Structure formats: structure tokens, C-alpha cells
């Protein structure tokens, strides 16, 4: 797969640069000198040392880096699970660095869909309840959220297993449930942390196909991976090293996962 | 804030996952609540019983009791001896004088308790011998099972007749009629002329609140017979107790005050402390109050011990909830990641501890009913299940849930989402 290094280290979004006047509404993620240091006994340990990056609406971006490069920290900060210790971060037009814990919870609920490496489903709830979980905290009435969860599971191809427990599903199915959960609130961005890390290659491909289908349907996706091949399913690759962006690659012709999961197009 | 219904559902689900653990942690609450319910049932039953007994004594009655200076420790004996120097104790003359003096009084019945041996044939009988007058039956409102009560000639001629209570009849005469039979009291034969109906209040004489311990074990003989034959001073008219009957229950306190003044004057004890006097004036209604006061103390003591068990139960709940929070960190992380606020998590775990406590409280109520039934079955005590006790116990157990569930829930709420998600 071919990929060319971008000359600009994310000072301006490529789209905005092309349009001469930056259209900020087009940016789902915009960070400026984002820093994060962990407080330890012997003082602060820097994990991010000034990351400036942008993700446009409808983009599929991969973040790559060695372990310890800060990619997980970056994802946690982008996912509002951690607060940045410096810099600014606008998510879907909202400056989130100033928000308190409760407000960050609302932002996570409404703007972000998480997909984790270990699926992170609640083992004692059936999968409809799992998918409906974010809607609980969006204060939706029970019948509405169950209906939405069922719809999402049907779209994702698990409509016949609504009342199964996560333990009764395969890894690929579990990850699809997790993706359904990430989608159910119609978030601004889906953040995936090594989404295929716990899956075999065929199932991993299935998940990539699902991501690509969602991307085609207009979803914004940011995935963190250490696997170059998986990264190339996205349009751009942001390389991190020692808490800094070392390189931004534009993937000229992203890989295509052959399998297309039926029904995903409906999401558009 | 997430809706209550869902919070309850999540809380109960949390319990359902670890049923056995939840059940174990509930035990403290269950037994605490059960003991509260059972203890209150027993206590209420006892109160009802005492009230019944007092009703049997008559709400219009005032009891003047002479204190026996021979009993008690040497010190109090000396004081009492001194007290007795100025008076001859309670006498029939005083009773007559009091009746003449106080218009509120209708009649009186004197009692003289004597130490005497009783035999039925050759068999010794355990009973109290009490001398009294024909008025006693009416004053006390007792009923005869068979035969007759004393008549004026019995008293006048100090006849050797006796009226026995039901327990004595059962023990000495079994199925035969005791009328016309003889009991030997202090080596002298007394003819049984009547049997009193058993007083239902004394279902085993367990409550010695008043002097009715031997309620169904008394053998009454004419007072004159007692005074003439069983005392060392044959001319004495000393009695142990005088029961005055009042015109109406409203007047008893006024009459009791008059009686107090009279006996103070006659015994030269105006300046004595009530406890040091050689007599005591008691009103049946006041005994009810005394009983209620001692009942209250009993309730406080039992309430405290039940409270302690609820606190211990609460600590158990806290322990289990802390373990729960640690074990379910990942779940907390997931919920936080999808948008739960710290308050949502706090509320979820608080609901769980509340559910444990409420469920434990309900089970405790059932167990308490069972305990009460068992107590009644084994001891034959009267018990009364008080519904309010269950509400109180449930409320206290809910309070327990809040008091001991808040800290673990707060711990859960303030967990860092990432740390929580990393938990294996």
C-alpha cells in the first residue's frame, strides 16, 4: 500500500488549507499543543509533549506508535477520559479542556463512541442492554433506548442474538456489539483502541470492513494501533514518538477489507 | 440523574450476580430486624398482660401496704425499726377511721398475710394464707367458681372456714369437689367453703410487677380467725394491707392524697421521706404507669441491643460493598466511559446497599414473626405483633443502607475511569 508523508505536521487541517479559509465546523477534533503529564511521587512524567492535530468530519484516521509513545494517552485525552495538563482541545466545536468531571461525562456520552481492545461489555447484562447502556446515561426512556439498541444490533447483523450474554458470543461478535454500543448515541467520533488486538486475522478483517463501511456512511473514526497493516485501512496515519507527532502520512489508496457487512449502509 | 426505576433495576441486578454473598451480607440486618420485631412483640404482649392483671385488681382501688420491718438488711432494718417506734403499723381501726374521714371511699378490705403451714391430709400444700373480710370479694371483683365466700358470721365468730384458689383445688382435690373437705392450717382443720375462679391474667405469674405472684395459690380465711389464732398478740388488729375502694376511678388520686395525709398523721411521719415511711399508698392506675416506665426501660435496653446488631449488620454491608466496588471496577470504568457521572455511579452502588438492606429488612420482618411465634409456642407468653415495629425496623435498616453504603458508593464514584478500565 502506498502512503506519502505529509509535509505539514498538522498545523492546519489539509482540507482547511486547501480551502484557504479554515472552516472550523468541519473539524471534529482540533488540538493545539496538547500536553499530558502523569503525577508520580518523584514529580510529573510527561506522556504527551504538545500534540497539535486535526480530524475532519467523516475522516478515518489511524494513530500509530511504539509502546510508550503516548498513543494510548492521546486516545484517553481525546476520549475525555483524562484531562490534558496543557494546550487546548476542541471536540466537535466544544473546548473540553475547561470542563469539569460531570460535563466531561456528558461529552463522552454525546460526542464519543468507544471501541476497546477487550470489548469491555458488561458480562451480566444481555447484549441489548449492553448496547443501550450509553442511552441510560443520556436519560432516554427505557423503551426508547431498547428500541434503538435493537435497531443498531440488527444493522450490525446480530439482530437474532438480542438476549444473549456477552459470554455466549465469539470475539468478533463481541466487538461488533461494542461497535453497536459506540454508535447508538450517534456520536461525533468513534475512538477505537486496538480494536482488532484481541481478534484473529479473519475476524480482524471483518471489523476493519465494518469500520470502512461506517466510514463510507460518513462516520468519523480514530483508531489507535501498533499494526501498520491495520493502520492502512484509514485515510491518514499519525505517527507518535515520545509524546510528539513525528510524522503524518496520507494513505493514498487505503487497503480495502473485502467483506462488507450487510446492512451497515443503512447507517447512512 | 438517571431514572429511579433503572437505578433499582441495576442495583438488584448487582445483587443477583452474587446472590450468596448478598445473602450473607444481609444476615446482620435480617437478625437485627427480626430481634427488633420479636422483642417488641414480646414486650407489647407483656404490657397487655400487665394491664389485664391491673384491670383485675380494679381501677378504683387504692392499696395501702404496711412495710415489714423485719425484712431487708441490718441498716434499713434499724431505720425501719425507728420508723415503727411511733406507730403500730396498719390497723383495722385506721381503716375504719380513713373510711369515715374520706367521703370518696366506699369500702375497704383488709388483708393479713400469715406464715402458716397447710396440709391436705398428710400432703403439704404450697400456698399463701391470707386473712380477709367478707368485703374483699366485692372490692376485688373476683368471682367464685363454686361454693360461697365468707359471710359476716364467719368473720364475727372467727369460724374455721376457708376459700381456696383454683390452683390449690387442682393440686389437692383433682376432680373431686373440695366443698366440705378439710385443709389443715397450722394444725387446725378448716373447712373449704368456696373456690375462686382462676384469674386468667396470671398465665404463669411471670410478671412480678405487683404483689400478685401467688395469684392463684392463695387460701383465704376470715381475718378474725387469722388475728385470733395465728398471731402472737391476740388482741392486735394489725393487717398487712388495706384495699380501699373509691367511688369512681376519677377520684383515686384525690383519695390517695387524703389517705397519705391520714396515715402520715397517725404514724407521726409527716416529715419522713416517702421511702422511709412504714406504709405505702399505691393506686392501681399508677402501677400501670410504673409498669409502662419499666417497660420503656426494657424497650430502650432491647432497642439498644437490636440497634447494635443493626450497626454490626451495617458494617457487614459496608464490607461487602467495598469488596463489590473493588471487584467491579471494570464495570465502573465501562459505565464512566459511556457517560456515567460520578453521581450516577455513587447512586448505583448506594441503591445496591439500600436494596440489600431493604430486602434484609423484609426477610428480618418475616423471621421476626417466626421468632415471635416460637417464643409464644415454647414459653406460652402472650405476644402481640406490632405493625409499627416492622415499619421502624425497615426504616432503620434503610438508614443502615444509607449510612454504611455511602462510603463504598463514594469510593466507586471517584474511581479514575482509566484505572477502572485497566482492572483485570
Amino acid at each position: 500500500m502506498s502512503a506519502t508523508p505529509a509535509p505539514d505536521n498538522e498545523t492546519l487541517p489539509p482540507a482547511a488549507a486547501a480551502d484557504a479559509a479554515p472552516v472550523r465546523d468541519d473539524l471534529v477534533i482540533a488540538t493545539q499543543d496538547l500536553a499530558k503529564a502523569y503525577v508520580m511521587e518523584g514529580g510529573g512524567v510527561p506522556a504527551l509533549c504538545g500534540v497539535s492535530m486535526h480530524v475532519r468530519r467523516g475522516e478515518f484516521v489511524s494513530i500509530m506508535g511504539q509502546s510508550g509513545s503516548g498513543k494510548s494517552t492521546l486516545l484517553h485525552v481525546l476520549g475525555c477520559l483524562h484531562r490534558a495538563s496543557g494546550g487546548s482541545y476542541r471536540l466537535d466545536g466544544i473546548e473540553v479542556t475547561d470542563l469539569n468531571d460531570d460535563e466531561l461525562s456528558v461529552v463522552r456520552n454525546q460526542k464519543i463512541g468507544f471501541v476497546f481492545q477487550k470489548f469491555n461489555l458488561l458480562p451480566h447484562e444481555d447484549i441489548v442492554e449492553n448496547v443501550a447502556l450509553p442511552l441510560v446515561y443520556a436519560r432516554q426512556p427505557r423503551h426508547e433506548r431498547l428500541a434503538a439498541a435493537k435497531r443498531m444490533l440488527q444493522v450490525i447483523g446480530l439482530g437474532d442474538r438480542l438476549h444473549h450474554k456477552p459470554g455466549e458470543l465469539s470475539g468478533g461478535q463481541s466487538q461488533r456489539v461494542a461497535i453497536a454500543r459506540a454508535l447508538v448515541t450517534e456520536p461525533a467520533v468513534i475512538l477505537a483502541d486496538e480494536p482488532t488486538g484481541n481478534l484473529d486475522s479473519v475476524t480482524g478483517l471483518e471489523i476493519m470492513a465494518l469500520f470502512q463501511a461506517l466510514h463510507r456512511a460518513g462516520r468519523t473514526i480514530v483508531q489507535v494501533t501498533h499494526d501498520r497493516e491495520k493502520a492502512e485501512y484509514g485515510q491518514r496515519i499519525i505517527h507518535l514518538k515520545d509524546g510528539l507527532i513525528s510524522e503524518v502520512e496520507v494513505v493514498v489508496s487505503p487497503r480495502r477489507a473485502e467483506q462488507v457487512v450487510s446492512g451497515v449502509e443503512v447507517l447512512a | 440523574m438517571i431514572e429511579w426505576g433503572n437505578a433499582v433495576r441495576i442495583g438488584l441486578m448487582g445483587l443477583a450476580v452474587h446472590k450468596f454473598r448478598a445473602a450473607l451480607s444481609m444476615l446482620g440486618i435480617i437478625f437485627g430486624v427480626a430481634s427488633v420485631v420479636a422483642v417488641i412483640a414480646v414486650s407489647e404482649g407483656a404490657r397487655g398482660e400487665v394491664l389485664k392483671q391491673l384491670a383485675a385488681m380494679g381501677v378504683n382501688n387504692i392499696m395501702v401496704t404496711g412495710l415489714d420491718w423485719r425484712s431487708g438488711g441490718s441498716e434499713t432494718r434499724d431505720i425501719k425499726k425507728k420508723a415503727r417506734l411511733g406507730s403500730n403499723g396498719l390497723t383495722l381501726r385506721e381503716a375504719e377511721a380513713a373510711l369515715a374521714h374520706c367521703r370518696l371511699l366506699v369500702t375497704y378490705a383488709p388483708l393479713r398475710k400469715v406464715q402458716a403451714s397447710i396440709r391436705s391430709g398428710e400432703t403439704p400444700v404450697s400456698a399463701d394464707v391470707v386473712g380477709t373480710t367478707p368485703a374483699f370479694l366485692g372490692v376485688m371483683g373476683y368471682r367464685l367458681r363454686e361454693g360461697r365466700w365468707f359471710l359476716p358470721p364467719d368473720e364475727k365468730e372467727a369460724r374455721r372456714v376457708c376459700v381456696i384458689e383454683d390452683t390449690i383445688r387442682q393440686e389437692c382435690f383433682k376432680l373431686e369437689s373440695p366443698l366440705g373437705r378439710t385443709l389443715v392450717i397450722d394444725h387446725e382443720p378448716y373447712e373449704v367453703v368456696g373456690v375462686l375462679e382462676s384469674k386468667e391474667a396470671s398465665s404463669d405469674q411471670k410478671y412480678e410487677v405487683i404483689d400478685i405472684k401467688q395469684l392463684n395459690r392463695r387460701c383465704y380465711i376470715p381475718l378474725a380467725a387469722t388475728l385470733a389464732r395465728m398471731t402472737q398478740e391476740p388482741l392486735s388488729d394489725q393487717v398487712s394491707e388495706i384495699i380501699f375502694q373509691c367511688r369512681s376511678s376519677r377520684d383515686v388520686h384525690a383519695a390517695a392524697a387524703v389517705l397519705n395525709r391520714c396515715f402520715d398523721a397517725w404514724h407521726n411521719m409527716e416529715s419522713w421521706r416517702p421511702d422511709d415511711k412504714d406504709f405505702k399508698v399505691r393506686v392501681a392506675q399508677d402501677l400501670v404507669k410504673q409498669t409502662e416506665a419499666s417497660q420503656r426501660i426494657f424497650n430502650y435496653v432491647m432497642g439498644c441491643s437490636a440497634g447494635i446488631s443493626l450497626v454490626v449488620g451495617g458494617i457487614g454491608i459496608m464490607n461487602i460493598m467495598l469488596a463489590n466496588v473493588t471487584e467491579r471496577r471494570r464495570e465502573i470504568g465501562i459505565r464512566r466511559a459511556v457517560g456515567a457521572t460520578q453521581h450516577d455511579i455513587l447512586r448505583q452502588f448506594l441503591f445496591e446497599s439500600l436494596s440489600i438492606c431493604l430486602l434484609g429488612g423484609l426477610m428480618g420482618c418475616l423471621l421476626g414473626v417466626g421468632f415471635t411465634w416460637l417464643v409464644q409456642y415454647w414459653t406460652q407468653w402472650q405476644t402481640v405483633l406490632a405493625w409499627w415495629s416492622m415499619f421502624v425496623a425497615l426504616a432503620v435498616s434503610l438508614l443502615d443502607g444509607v449510612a454504611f453504603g455511602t462510603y463504598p458508593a463514594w469510593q466507586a464514584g471517584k474511581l479514575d475511569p482509566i484505572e477502572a478500565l485497566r482492572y483485570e
Side-chain angles (χ1 to χ4, degrees), chain A residues 22-202:
Chain A
V23 184
R24 296 198 72 91
D25 279 356
D26 194 36
L27 299 180
V28 175
I29 290 172
T31 72
Q32 194 68 46
D33 298 325
L34 204 61
K36 173 74 188 172
Y38 290 106
V39 183
M40 301 285 184
E41 274 180 28
V45 177
L48 294 178
C49 315
V51 173
S52 304
M53 60 171 279
H54 307 89
V55 176
R56 277 174 295 152
R57 204 172 298 282
E59 245 191 317
F60 184 177
V61 176
S62 306
I63 298 172
M64 274 193 77
Q66 302 288 318
S67 67
S69 60
K71 58 183 192 303
S72 285
T73 304
L74 178 59
L75 193 83
H76 294 155
V77 174
L78 293 181
C80 298
L81 287 165
H82 271 169
R83 206 175 277 135
S85 17
S88 78
Y89 169 27
R90 286 182 78 82
L91 171 65
D92 202 25
I94 302 166
E95 179 60 52
V96 296
T97 37
D98 306 329
L99 300 183
N100 65 25
D101 196 85
D102 282 357
E103 290 165 332
L104 284 179
S105 297
V106 175
V107 167
R108 282 198 298 272
N109 185 250
Q110 294 178 357
K111 302 287 181 192
I112 298 164
F114 282 104
V115 178
F116 299 97
Q117 179 178 0
K118 290 178 180 167
F119 325 135
N120 279 342
L121 301 174
L122 298 180
H124 304 294
E125 303 262 17
D126 60 28
I127 64 173
V128 187
E129 294 286 356
N130 263 290
V131 172
L133 189 64
L135 299 177
V136 170
Y137 301 107
R139 324 302 178 203
Q140 274 200 18
R142 186 171 162 77
H143 66 276
E144 276 182 30
R145 53 177 195 258
L146 288 185
K150 277 179 197 162
R151 225 170 22 244
M152 199 51 74
L153 279 166
Q154 263 145 13
V155 164
I156 229 86
L158 288 169
D160 54 338
R161 317 201 65 166
L162 297 178
H163 299 293
H164 285 234
K165 295 278 162 72
E168 298 161 9
L169 303 180
S170 70
Q173 286 171 326
S174 295
Q175 196 58 302
R176 274 154 64 196
V177 173
I179 291 169
R181 182 181 64 191
L183 290 169
V184 78
T185 51
E186 306 277 336
V189 60
I190 292 169
L191 298 179
D193 187 3
E194 305 270 9
T196 58
N198 263 19
L199 303 173
D200 60 64
S201 58
V202 176

Side-chain angles (χ1 to χ4, degrees), chain B residues 47-172:
Chain B
R47 196 167 141 253
E49 184 121 330
V50 166
L51 288 179
K52 246 198 270 172
Q53 289 179 349
L54 289 171
M57 287 176 58
V59 283
N60 288 5
N61 290 352
I62 302 169
M63 280 138 291
V64 182
T65 319
L67 296 184
D68 183 3
W69 58 276
R70 293 172 202 86
S71 65
S74 59
E75 235 173 88
T76 52
R77 262 173 77 162
D78 287 346
I79 296 173
K80 284 178 184 166
K81 251 184 199 168
K82 262 188 223 160
R84 292 298 292 265
L85 283 179
S87 80
N88 295 318
L90 299 180
T91 61
L92 283 176
R93 268 190 305 278
E94 286 175 336
E96 281 296 341
L99 190 64
H101 185 77
C102 180
R103 285 155 167 243
L104 299 172
L105 301 174
V106 184
T107 183
Y108 71 92
L111 290 178
R112 168 91 193 207
K113 292 166 192 166
V114 288
Q115 301 284 330
S117 64
I118 309 184
R119 280 184 295 117
S120 163
E122 289 305 311
T123 325
V125 180
S126 152
D128 291 341
V129 178
V130 178
T132 190
T133 59
F136 178 79
L137 193 75
V139 169
M140 297 307 285
Y142 290 166
R143 280 202 300 271
L144 283 164
R145 185 187 151 91
E146 53 188 316
R148 63 171 178 86
W149 182 248
F150 304 136
L151 299 171
D154 296 326
E155 176 66 22
K156 213 170 172 184
E157 297 163 22
R159 284 184 188 162
R160 290 192 184 87
V161 290
C162 69
V163 175
I164 56 173
E165 287 189 322
D166 202 39
T167 311
I168 305 178
R169 176 193 65 82
Q170 284 171 24
E171 282 180 13
C172 301

Side-chain angles (χ1 to χ4, degrees), chain B residues 276-342:
Chain B
D276 295 339
K277 291 179 183 174
D278 71 338
F279 67 92
K280 193 166 260 176
V281 177
R282 294 181 301 170
V283 173
Q285 289 174 11
D286 289 346
L287 290 180
V288 176
K289 280 185 199 140
Q290 275 176 29
T291 311
E292 279 174 346
S294 56
Q295 203 75 51
R296 247 197 309 279
I297 293 170
F298 173 77
N299 284 353
Y300 287 151
V301 171
M302 294 319 287
C304 281
S305 61
I308 288 169
S309 66
L310 283 174
V311 167
V312 172
I315 292 170
I317 298 284
M318 191 167 183
N319 189 15
I320 243 66
M321 288 309 293
L322 282 172
N324 246 344
V325 169
T326 307
E327 197 175 80
R328 287 161 57 191
R329 287 172 83 157
R330 199 179 182 83
E331 176 193 327
I332 295 167
I334 295 168
R335 289 182 186 275
R336 293 281 278 137
V338 300
T341 61
Q342 294 191 4

